[in-house]
Structure formats: structure tokens, C-alpha cells
Amino acid sequence: MHPKRRLSSRASGILSALNIPSNKELSGVYDGQWKGSGEAIESVCPTTGEVLARIRTASPADVSETLTKTREAYFQFRDVPAPRRGEILRQIREKLANKREELGALVTLEMGKIRSEGVGEVQEFIDICDYAVGLSRMMNGRIVASERPGHSILEVPNPLGVVAVLSAFNFPVAVYGWNLALSLAAGNATIWKPSPTTPLTSIAVTSIIAEVLSKNNLPGALAGLVTGGQPVGEVLVGSKEVELVSFTGSERVGRIVGQAVVSRFGKSILELGGNNASIVMPDADLSLAVPGVFFGAVGTAGQRCTSTRRLFLHRDIAPEFLQRLQKLYASLKPGDPLDDNTLLGPLHTPAAVNLYESTVEYLRSIDADILFGGKGYEMTPYYGGNFVQPTIAVPKSVEMSDRIWSTETFAPILNVAIFDELEEAIRWNNAVPQGLSSSLWTRDLRNVGKWTGPSGSDAGIVNVNAGTSGAEIGASFGGNKSTGWGRESGGDAWKQYVRWSACTINFSNEAPLAQGVNFNIE
């Protein structure tokens, strides 16, 4: 027996608005029925340290049974016409929009990002549903001209199978939304393993989707849920019943996931480390660049995959830029992320605080010049919160192979270096293992051409006069090199969620072979 918890009013009101009971253990598995027979985990608020709920996670038997039901759901759904699948997504979109503010508040409560970012993340799910509704009528193949008379070649997309989505804590709604929307539009079934530290958000989102599926007489396992830790993820990654694994997380775990999936000839989408850089040229508009870098480095308390970690300043503008940036940093005050006026919330876990502290300690050990921050706050809005000061540091070395540059720290620490020529800054940008996002601040068209061209940034996102953070859903999202080469959301990302067939059709009275091959029997 566990003693009754007395939940704060700030938390109980949010849970109540989403019909999440706060007085009993919650089921963390959904396959058409809510259940769970694995270990119990706790959802902890990063702002206050209070336990929000206890959740019963998936046991190995639960995962196996949910996978079986998800596959059965796929067999039923794959023959549903694509525009009809789009109608299901339209209804999901409407349900999400009706609960946008409440879901956004839950993201803030459980993950810790500020309220406008929490609501914005739910809006991303809504937006990708809009996108997928249109996509459901445009998931086209193509006709290829044949060299043989009376023949046509069709390239045809068909549903792929079961898609497993393993999402991270920092975007507990949007990343699942990107995958679910495209997966359903393509005719697949999806099974979701969220981060074990954001189970409440996944339960709330799944409940909303389940209502739509039930209303349309579709199996709930079409959008299944299995909460839990590493053992749950290992089952999904290793299962031959899962055609595609979409994994968002660290480079270390991503390498394990990628190797496991390819060993059974499955498909994977990997969204891993960022370690993103912004470059500021002497002709840059600093009224744009300074706030852009500020949000990139400090937004979500530095816990975005696209957060700005490295800042390369041209020598001519470095003093003024840093002076302006430090002034913005000094204006930041930690606050309750549910307060609309707060810009800086907590880190997600105490482990993240430890990582922040060890990185600052390392910066000091290599005699880096710490311009701002480098410690926790003496006064915070809540005693149990994971609040740290965003930090600006100038390491003595500009060797990008050094640990401080090549290893991403998932915390609000910005490392600065000074350059003289754009080519030097581009080399630094490209010299790290990761390749997610990058940005150049300039008003010179020649710099833009160099930056976006063959000798420019090697990242998956290459921005000009826009920060490294804040991608829209219309373009595909993802990175290169050790970021994983995965692409999600818009653009051509949908093509990963289907299987492709080349279909040669002979409508003639002859059967010639290609390339003029003669295999006739006289």
C-alpha cells in the first residue's frame, strides 16, 4: 500500500481537465483496453519535485499482446482508402484542437517547458494532422516510361506495416504526432513507447485518439501505447513484427537501436544528437541575431534537439554581440513555467542538473572564460525544482575535436569561439560528429550562397537569418552524420512509411525483354 498523495492545486486542476484521475494508479498500456502488469513508475513534476501520478507500465506479456493486436489492426486498416484515413486524421485534429490548452499545460507540468512552448507543441500535432489530411489524397506513385512497346512501369506506394515510435522527453507530443499522422495516412498501425519520464502526456494523447478510433469502429490498437523503460523498447526494436522503428534520443542509444533494427532487416528513422552552431557575420542585423541566438540557446532551458550549443562570432562584432547577449541573459528569471510571463523553466530531471554541473566544472578545469551563469539559482519559485542558470562560456581551445565542442550537453550551456573568415566558421560547424541544425546571420547574398551550397553547412537544417530552433512541419525534419540521417514531418518524409513496388504492366500482344535480350526458342 502506498500512502495517499495530496496533489497541489496547480497539478490537480490540469489533470482534472483531461479526465486523468489523481487518486489512483493509472494503466500505462493501451491496445483497445487500458491495462498494465509491469513495474510501477512515477511521473514527477520538474518544477516542484512533486509526484504527479503512479503508472503501471507494460510487462513483457503486455508488450507481446499489444504488438499482436497492433498487427491485427494493421491488417484491417491497410485496405481502408487513403482519403478515408485522412478523415480519421481530421477528426483526431479536431479533438486535439479542442484540448490544445489543456494538453499544452500538461506538457508544461510534466516536461517543464514554458506554457507557450507546451501549447505550441500540441499545435505541431494539430498542424501535422492538417498536413496529413491533404497528403492522404496526394500520396502518389508515378508512371515511368518503358523502353518496351506496349508496356508501362508504375512505382506504387502501399502501407508498410507496424510502426514503433520511441519518443524522447523533450517533445512528448510533437514527435509522436509527426510519426502517427504520416503512419496513419500511409495505412499503417502504430505502437508508441514514450519516455518513461512523460507517461501522463502519452496517456492523455492516446485517450483522445482512442475516442476517435472507437467512434469510427476502428481497433484501438491502431494507435497502441506501451509505457515503460529500456526492456519495453528492446522488445519493440528487436521484433520482426515491427517494420519501422522511429527513435528519438541520444547518439549512444541510437547506435544500438540502428544496429538492432538493421540486423533483422527492418527500417529505422533515427533522430539523435544536435550540437548545433550559429555563425554571426560582421554584416549581420544584430537586432535579429542576438534574440535568435538567445532563444536558440535558452528556449526549453536548452533541452531541444535543435538548441544552439556553439556560437561562432566574427571578430569585428564579437564584443558588441556578447554584451547584448549577456544583457538578455541577465534579464532571465526562473519561474513557474505555467505562468505566461515565465521564459525559463527547469531542467527535466535531477540527472540533467548533474550533467549541467559536471559540464560547468569541466569548463572551469580547462580554464574557459565563463561570461555568465555557471551555477544554480539561490532563489527559485519552488524548492524541489531543477533550475539552473543558462551559461555562456569561451573555451581557450577552438579544436572542434575537443570534448567541450564535440560532445553535446543537453542543458543551457553556450560555448563561444571567435573567427576571422566565413570558411573557418564553416569548417568548425562541420567538424563535429553531429549534423542536425545550423544557422548563419548575414545580409550578404554571397555568404548565403556559400553557406547553403556544396561547400557550406553539412547539417540537415541550414538556416539563414533564423535560429537553429523553431522548425515548421511543412519541411522534413532531421539531421545528417551521427544525428542519424532520419527525416520526419513534412517534405518527402512520408515516403519512409510505405513500401514501394515497381510494377511492369504489359498490355501488348508481345513479350519483349528489356535491353534487347533475345531468349527465343526457334
Side-chain angles (χ1 to χ4, degrees):
M1 293 290 292
H2 296 274
K4 276 195 172 183
R5 295 174 296 106
R6 184 172 179 81
L7 206 58
S8 68
S9 59
R10 71 188 286 279
S12 60
I14 292 170
L15 300 187
S16 175
L18 291 163
N19 298 317
I20 299 175
S22 58
N23 58 353
K24 67 175 185 178
E25 186 175 86
L26 304 177
S27 298
V29 179
Y30 183 74
D31 61 6
Q33 300 290 327
W34 286 101
K35 59 186 181 182
S37 58
E39 67 174 1
I41 60 173
E42 293 180 338
S43 172
V44 179
C45 176
T47 304
T48 64
E50 69 177 315
V51 174
L52 301 172
R54 285 175 56 84
I55 297 92
R56 186 63 57 177
T57 62
S59 66
D62 291 331
V63 180
S64 178
E65 185 176 358
T66 303
L67 259 177
T68 298
K69 290 187 177 181
T70 301
R71 190 141 203 93
E72 292 170 355
Y74 161 66
F75 290 141
Q76 176 179 339
F77 193 60
R78 64 184 176 181
D79 290 322
V80 173
R84 175 61 186 158
R85 299 176 210 147
E87 168 58 18
I88 303 302
L89 283 161
R90 187 196 66 78
Q91 294 177 33
I92 291 172
R93 181 247 186 255
E94 291 302 307
K95 282 279 190 183
L96 289 168
N98 289 339
K99 289 291 185 180
R100 189 185 75 149
E101 299 298 320
E102 294 87 346
L103 274 175
L106 179 60
V107 171
T108 294
L109 180 71
E110 188 175 41
M111 184 272 153
K113 64 178 62 176
I114 63 173
R115 189 164 197 147
S116 67
E117 290 189 79
V119 172
E121 184 177 343
V122 180
Q123 184 63 48
E124 272 197 73
F125 199 163
I126 295 167
D127 291 345
I128 196 65
C129 283
D130 282 336
Y131 181 91
V133 170
L135 187 65
S136 70
R137 293 182 180 270
M138 298 187 297
M139 301 181 85
N140 303 321
R142 63 175 181 163
I143 300 175
V144 180
S146 173
E147 66 187 61
R148 291 172 281 183
H151 287 61
S152 285
I153 304 171
L154 311 180
E155 289 186 341
V156 180
N158 276 302
L160 179 63
V162 172
V163 176
V165 181
L166 283 65
S167 61
F169 75 88
N170 59 333
F171 278 85
V173 171
V175 170
Y176 175 61
W178 295 346
N179 283 276
L180 179 80
L182 297 191
S183 179
L184 286 182
N188 303 318
T190 305
I191 185 168
W192 182 17
K193 193 207 89 66
S195 166
T197 57
T198 55
L200 286 180
T201 303
S202 66
I203 290 170
V205 169
T206 299
S207 296
I208 289 171
I209 295 167
E211 289 181 27
V212 174
L213 297 179
S214 176
K215 178 184 174 183
N216 288 272
N217 298 313
L218 290 168
L222 201 58
L225 173 69
V226 283
T227 60
Q230 180 179 336
V232 173
E234 287 175 344
V235 173
L236 297 180
V237 167
S239 175
K240 292 183 179 179
E241 299 299 305
V242 175
E243 277 77 9
L244 171 64
V245 174
S246 175
F247 172 80
T248 301
S250 70
E251 295 165 66
R252 181 187 67 80
V253 178
R255 183 175 286 108
I256 296 169
V257 169
Q259 290 172 349
V261 174
V262 77
S263 72
R264 60 175 178 81
F265 299 106
K267 295 179 68 176
S268 64
I269 298 173
L270 302 177
E271 299 286 1
L272 311 176
N275 203 10
N276 316 290
S278 269
I279 298 172
V280 185
M281 296 298 290
D283 65 306
D285 184 341
L286 297 194
S287 68
L288 297 178
V290 174
V293 170
F294 178 59
F295 172 71
V298 174
T300 327
Q303 296 171 108
R304 291 182 175 225
C305 303
T306 53
S307 290
T308 308
R309 313 289 182 198
R310 299 177 295 145
L311 175 61
F312 304 142
L313 299 174
H314 192 277
R315 191 175 304 278
D316 290 349
I317 51 87
E320 181 183 356
F321 190 100
L322 288 172
Q323 183 181 25
R324 291 196 193 187
L325 187 62
Q326 288 178 75
K327 186 175 180 180
L328 288 180
Y329 270 61
S331 71
L332 274 178
K333 297 290 184 279
D336 183 349
L338 287 169
D339 185 332
D340 289 338
N341 294 318
T342 297
L343 294 181
L344 179 65
L347 293 181
H348 185 56
T349 62
V353 175
N354 292 338
L355 178 61
Y356 165 89
E357 291 174 344
S358 65
T359 303
V360 169
E361 185 177 338
Y362 179 71
L363 281 165
R364 290 197 172 102
S365 74
I366 60 173
D367 201 26
D369 191 6
I370 297 177
L371 303 182
F372 190 92
K375 58 187 177 182
Y377 283 99
E378 293 180 5
M379 297 290 292
T380 60
Y382 295 97
Y383 171 73
N386 306 316
F387 293 93
V388 299
Q389 273 194 326
T391 297
I392 305 171
V394 184
K396 293 289 189 292
S397 168
V398 293
E399 288 296 327
M400 293 296 133
S401 59
D402 289 354
R403 166 186 151 189
I404 198 61
W405 295 108
S406 64
T407 302
E408 180 181 37
T409 297
F410 223 64
I413 297 175
L414 180 65
N415 292 312
V416 182
I418 311 300
F419 69 93
D420 293 297
E421 300 293 338
L422 175 58
E423 291 79 6
E424 181 182 28
I426 292 175
R427 283 198 304 273
W428 291 349
N429 177 80
N430 296 347
V432 296
Q434 309 84 0
L436 177 53
S437 186
S438 58
S439 71
L440 174 71
W441 302 87
T442 184
R443 286 180 283 194
D444 189 327
L445 190 60
R446 294 168 298 182
N447 294 335
V448 175
K450 186 172 293 184
W451 174 244
T452 60
S455 301
S457 171
D458 63 4
I461 299 170
V462 182
N463 292 339
V464 177
N465 296 328
T468 59
S469 280
E472 301 178 28
I473 61 95
S476 60
F477 178 92
N480 305 330
K481 303 189 295 185
S482 70
T483 301
W485 301 99
R487 292 298 185 272
E488 294 173 312
S489 196
D492 285 338
W494 69 270
K495 294 180 179 179
Q496 300 169 101
Y497 296 82
V498 296
R499 58 178 171 82
W500 288 91
S501 302
C503 309
T504 300
I505 299 174
N506 180 0
F507 51 89
S508 73
N509 293 319
E510 305 293 332
L513 298 174
Q515 293 85 45
V517 172
N518 187 341
F519 205 70
N520 292 330
I521 299 175
E522 300 296 338

